[in-house]
């Protein structure tokens, strides 16, 4: 039978920890052939981002077209889309090629609370891309913006998940607790219009957490490309991120990336 194919529409991280680089390794781990459309290029290492260059919109268009018209994809994920023009371009291509099983990581605010795209881009993301999502994976801050609710507790996370599902018409939403304090840190909330689920994981004590959000959304897309149901795809993806965190790489002087090929890593 044919190998499943997934597409990542996201930014490049020169340090290899997040973005396209994390997505392609995640696809490969799941035995899914990875294709990519690069939206922007970051100059980045474990200490931070020093420069971001947007790709021309025609370049983004052509990458998606080239992949979809010939190879075809069973699932896709979007990551860092940087600005309004890029978001609009990506929406048009997703629509034109009727890309199925779309996982949207609404990259707007980092896990630490720093805003990554401007207000105009936030609005376009919310009104045009997010309604196309099969699964949406906001962190705590993004869930606050998208729901209009303040999130301080587990009940707030649940209310935000339900509000986002209702207001933004996504099929399912996974609100990530990564930016929460204390015992809420490892907890994610799932809502698909029917089932409200609390996903627990053991907390991993590591400073090397770069790439967790990218890895999670890519793993969900990979599982969907393989034919898993929405909830199973998300639950297994969360487990994968836990393993990857447990095997994070101690490289560079700052925050190292999660380890994607943990069964092969020698401690
Ligand atoms: O996780 C957000 C993100 C997405 N895409 C790229 C990134 C980052 C965070 O560093 O570098 C390319």
């Amino acid at each position: 039978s044919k190998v499943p194919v997934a597409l990542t529409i996201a930014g490049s991280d020169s340090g290899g920890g997040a973005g396209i680089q994390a997505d392609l390794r995640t696809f490969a781990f799941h035995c899914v052939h990875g294709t990519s459309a690069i939206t922007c290029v970051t100059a980045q290492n474990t200490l931070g981002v020093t420069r971001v260059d947007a790709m021309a919109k025609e370049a983004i268009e052509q990458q998606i077209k080239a992949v979809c018209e010939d190879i075809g994809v069973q699932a896709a994920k979007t990551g860092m889309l940087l600005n309004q023009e890029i978001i609009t371009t990506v929406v048009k291509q997703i629509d034109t090629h009727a890309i199925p099983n779309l996982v949207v990581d609404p990259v707007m605010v980092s896990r630490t609370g720093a805003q990554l795209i401007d207000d105009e881009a936030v609005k376009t993301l919310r009104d045009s891309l997010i309604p196309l999502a099969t699964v949406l994976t906001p962190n705590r801050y993004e869930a606050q913006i998208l729901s209009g609710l303040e999130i301080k507790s587990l009940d707030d996370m649940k209310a935000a998940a339900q509000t986002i599902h209702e207001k933004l018409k996504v099929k399912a939403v996974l609100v990530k607790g990564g930016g929460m304090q204390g015992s809420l840190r490892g907890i994610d909330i799932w809502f698909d219009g029917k089932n409200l689920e609390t996903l627990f994981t053991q907390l991993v004590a590591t400073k090397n957490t770069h790439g967790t959000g990218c890895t999670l959304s890519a793993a969900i897309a990979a599982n969907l490309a393989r034919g898993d149901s929405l909830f199973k795809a998300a639950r297994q993806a969360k487990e994968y991120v836990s393993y990857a965190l447990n095997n994070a790489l101690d490289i560079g002087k700052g925050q190292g990336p999660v380890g994607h090929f943990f069964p092969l890593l020698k401690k």
Side-chain angles (χ1 to χ4, degrees), residues 10-13 18-20 40 42 44 49 79-80 105 107 116 210-211 213-214:
S12 166
D13 170 358
I20 292 272
C40 61
T42 69
Q44 183 174 179
V49 177
M80 190 165 170
D105 183 2
V107 177
L116 302 171
H210 188 52
C214 303

Side-chain angles (χ1 to χ4, degrees), residues 190 192 197-199 224 228-236:
W190 169 268
D192 56 17
E197 304 279 353
T198 305
L199 301 180
L224 293 177
D228 284 340
S229 68
L230 296 191
F231 182 63
K232 189 177 175 202
R235 188 170 40 78
Q236 291 188 154

Side-chain angles (χ1 to χ4, degrees), residues 150-169:
E150 199 182 356
I151 300 179
K152 284 185 167 165
S153 67
L154 196 61
D155 282 343
D156 295 340
M157 287 172 72
K158 290 178 183 171
Q162 288 172 302
T163 300
I164 288 168
H165 182 272
E166 189 190 335
K167 279 210 318 197
L168 301 176
K169 311 290 177 212

Side-chain angles (χ1 to χ4, degrees), residues 35-253:
T35 61
S36 63
I38 297 183
T39 56
C40 61
V41 175
T42 69
Q44 183 174 179
N45 55 29
T46 65
L47 297 170
V49 177
T50 53
R51 185 181 166 108
V52 185
D53 288 273
M55 295 295 293
K57 81 173 202 299
E58 293 80 5
I60 299 167
E61 251 162 36
Q62 288 293 316
Q63 290 175 84
I64 300 173
K65 183 170 188 268
V67 170
C68 290
E69 285 192 344
D70 173 43
I71 303 166
V73 304
Q74 285 77 54
K77 69 150 277 187
T78 63
M80 190 165 170
L81 300 181
L82 200 63
N83 62 41
Q84 191 181 35
E85 185 183 45
I86 293 178
I87 296 165
T88 306
T89 299
V90 167
V91 166
K92 206 164 146 211
Q93 290 301 306
I94 289 168
D95 192 41
T96 300
H97 300 289
I99 293 178
N101 295 318
L102 182 68
V103 183
V104 174
D105 183 2
V107 177
M108 307 191 297
V109 189
S110 73
R111 204 162 18 79
T112 54
Q115 184 147 353
L116 302 171
I117 62 175
D118 61 26
D119 290 346
E120 180 181 72
V122 167
K123 192 173 177 309
T124 307
L125 197 64
R126 187 191 61 207
D127 296 342
S128 67
L129 178 64
I130 288 176
L132 304 179
T134 308
V135 181
L136 182 72
T137 62
N139 62 27
R140 173 210 187 170
Y141 300 101
E142 291 155 350
Q144 285 188 162
I145 293 171
L146 295 173
S147 68
L149 304 172
E150 199 182 356
I151 300 179
K152 284 185 167 165
S153 67
L154 196 61
D155 282 343
D156 295 340
M157 287 172 72
K158 290 178 183 171
Q162 288 172 302
T163 300
I164 288 168
H165 182 272
E166 189 190 335
K167 279 210 318 197
L168 301 176
K169 311 290 177 212
V170 297
K171 268 217 167 109
V173 56
L174 185 68
V175 175
K176 301 178 288 190
M180 302 293 285
Q181 297 296 312
S183 62
L184 292 178
R185 274 206 67 179
I187 297 179
D188 298 340
I189 298 293
W190 169 268
F191 187 61
D192 56 17
K194 226 162 130 190
N195 296 314
L196 184 68
E197 304 279 353
T198 305
L199 301 180
F200 296 92
T201 188
Q202 268 195 314
L203 275 184
V204 184
T206 177
K207 72 168 169 50
N208 302 317
T209 58
H210 188 52
T212 48
C214 303
T215 299
L216 179 75
S217 56
I220 297 173
N223 290 333
L224 293 177
R226 294 172 60 96
D228 284 340
S229 68
L230 296 191
F231 182 63
K232 189 177 175 202
R235 188 170 40 78
Q236 291 188 154
K238 183 170 171 62
E239 271 171 42
Y240 176 66
V241 173
S242 291
Y243 280 115
L245 271 167
N246 264 306
N247 293 278
L249 309 181
D250 203 12
I251 57 172
K253 299 176 191 72

